[in-house]
Amino acid sequence: MAFTAEDWPIAAAMLPFTAHLPIGAGQDALRREWSTTLQEVADAGFAHVDLTDSWLRYGDLDARGREALRAALADAGLRASSVSAIRRSVIEQGAGEENLAYSHRTLDFAAEFGIDVVSVGLHQALTPRQREQLWFWTVEGHRDRPDDAEAWALAVRRFRELGAHAADLGILLSLEMYEHTFLGTAASAVRMVEEIGMREVGLNPDVGNLIRLHEPIEDWREVVALTAPFTNFWHVKNYTRDEDPASGVITTAPTYLESGLIDYRSAFRVAIENGFQGVICTEHYGGDGLSMSAANRDYLRSRILPRRPYEPGTSRVAQHAERVAS
C-alpha cells in the first residue's frame, strides 16, 4: 500500500547531536544519557529517527550499548527507521577493509533493531582544513579519480557484498550521492547501481550535497530525473545558491527545504512517479538543526507529499535486478 502525507516515514537525522560515552558507565547511565537526547527529537514532533552514526558508532556497540539504546528509543517513543553510516568509504586507502567490516556490523545492528534501510557512501573523513571552515564544503576534500578502474571495480564488488548481506537480512542498502566520489554525479551513481545489479541496492540522491559546492554543478532537475527510478531512501536538505558570472564568485548557505535552489515539490513528484516509497530523512547543518528538520518535515507533510494513496510505477532497481537474474 502506498504511503500518504499522513503516514510517510520521515525521520530526523542525528547530525545536530554529539553522544557522550562516560568511561565505565553502566547500561542505566547510558540509557539516561541517550534518552535525554532522543526525547528532544520526540519533543520536536518526530515519530521516526535516522540513526546517523556521527552520533553513535552503531556497528561498534556492544550488547550493553545496544540494550541501552533500545531502551532509550522506547523511553522516547521513537522508531529507528534508518541508519546512515557516513564517511565510511569501503575503498578508502588504508581503511577500506575496516570500513567494509564496520558496514557489515551496521547491517547486523539494523536487522536486530528492525530497521528497514542502511545508507552508506564513498565519502571519507573531513580533512583538517575542512574542519577549520565554517562550512566544510567550501574547501575541497577527498576525490575519487574518475579514471581509476581498479577502485571503481572494488567499490562495485564491496557494495555488492554488502547488498548480498542486506538481502539475507531482508533490508535495503542505499548508496548516498556525495561530491567528487564515484557517487558524485547522477550518471556515475546510476551506472554503479546498474553494475551492482541487485534489487536491494538503490540510491540515496542527496542532491543537497551537490548543489552547495562553490563550483559549477549539475542541474538538480537532471540529477533527480536520472536517479529517481533508483531511489530507495532520501536525505533531504536545501541550500541557497548565488552565482556571479562576472566575478566567478559562488555562495551557498543552508536553508529551509522550501526556500533553497531545489524545488522539492517537483522533485518528489518525479520520485514518486518513478516508484519511490522509502524513508525520508531530514538533515540540516548549522543553527538549531533539529528545529529546521522539524519545519522541513511539516512542509513535506502539509504541502508536498500526496494526500491520497498514489500507486507508483515499478522501481527501476527492481526492473534491472530482474533483467540481471534472467
Side-chain angles (χ1 to χ4, degrees):
M1 182 175 176
F3 290 126
T4 66
E6 183 177 354
D7 61 8
W8 205 298
I10 303 178
M14 293 301 290
L15 286 174
F17 302 102
T18 301
H20 300 284
L21 292 167
I23 296 175
Q27 182 175 318
D28 289 345
L30 292 177
R31 174 176 177 171
R32 287 193 299 272
E33 177 74 28
W34 297 342
S35 290
T36 299
T37 299
L38 292 170
Q39 188 60 53
E40 288 188 55
V41 176
D43 288 346
F46 283 97
H48 299 264
V49 63
D50 174 77
L51 295 180
T52 323
D53 77 346
S54 56
W55 184 54
L56 289 173
R57 289 179 60 96
Y58 305 103
D60 291 340
L61 288 178
D62 58 15
R64 173 187 63 117
R66 293 195 301 274
E67 280 305 308
L69 180 59
R70 186 178 285 107
L73 287 164
D75 290 343
L78 288 172
R79 181 188 172 191
S81 297
S82 54
V83 177
S84 293
I86 60 176
R87 305 195 182 281
R88 317 281 179 193
S89 172
V90 295
I91 59 172
E92 181 177 352
Q93 188 171 5
E97 290 186 1
E98 168 50 32
N99 288 341
L100 176 64
Y102 172 83
S103 299
H104 277 295
R105 297 194 300 271
T106 302
L107 287 168
D108 288 330
F109 164 87
E112 180 182 335
F113 274 65
I115 294 169
D116 300 321
V117 59
V118 173
S119 176
V120 296
L122 292 174
H123 39 313
Q124 300 187 13
L126 297 176
T127 67
R129 186 160 174 252
Q130 283 181 306
R131 290 194 293 269
E132 291 171 355
Q133 310 306 310
L134 173 61
W135 305 122
F136 63 81
W137 55 85
T138 58
V139 297
E140 187 171 314
H142 168 79
R143 282 180 179 262
D144 291 333
R145 284 180 32 226
D147 60 347
D148 192 339
E150 184 177 349
W152 174 277
L154 181 62
V156 170
R157 185 165 66 250
R158 288 182 169 173
F159 280 148
R160 190 178 288 143
E161 177 184 326
L162 291 173
H165 188 184
D168 289 341
L169 297 172
I171 60 181
L172 298 174
L173 186 72
S174 194
L175 309 184
E176 180 182 353
M177 294 188 69
Y178 195 89
E179 69 266 20
H180 304 150
T181 72
F182 291 139
L183 298 168
T185 68
S188 182
V190 166
R191 177 188 161 206
M192 179 158 290
V193 170
E194 289 189 319
E195 285 196 23
I196 293 166
M198 302 179 68
R199 67 171 61 245
E200 293 82 9
V201 182
L203 289 177
N204 167 7
D206 192 339
V207 190
N209 287 341
L210 311 181
I211 67 151
R212 68 192 178 191
L213 300 179
H214 288 196
E215 61 186 60
I217 58 171
E218 284 187 89
D219 188 315
W220 66 265
R221 300 167 189 83
E222 296 178 4
V223 175
V224 170
L226 284 172
T227 61
F230 303 88
T231 298
N232 61 2
F233 176 61
W234 202 348
H235 287 169
V236 295
K237 55 182 177 282
N238 215 345
Y239 295 81
T240 61
R241 181 177 177 90
D242 185 52
E243 301 178 2
D244 180 1
S247 66
V249 172
I250 299 172
T251 58
T252 65
T255 190
Y256 293 99
L257 285 190
E258 62 185 307
S259 303
L261 179 67
I262 304 163
D263 171 12
Y264 275 100
R265 182 181 299 277
S266 60
F268 269 96
R269 184 182 303 116
V270 171
I272 292 170
E273 287 174 350
N274 279 276
F276 176 61
Q277 289 287 292
V279 176
I280 301 166
C281 171
T282 56
E283 294 187 321
H284 186 80
Y285 285 99
D288 183 351
L290 178 59
S291 291
M292 288 289 287
S293 293
N296 289 334
R297 175 205 63 218
D298 294 345
Y299 165 69
L300 292 175
R301 290 207 193 281
S302 65
R303 280 179 274 168
I304 302 304
L305 296 173
R307 310 305 300 177
R308 295 178 297 278
Y310 175 84
E311 293 300 334
T314 303
S315 165
R316 203 172 295 171
V317 173
Q319 292 176 351
H320 180 69
E322 289 169 2
R323 290 197 299 272
V324 171
S326 63

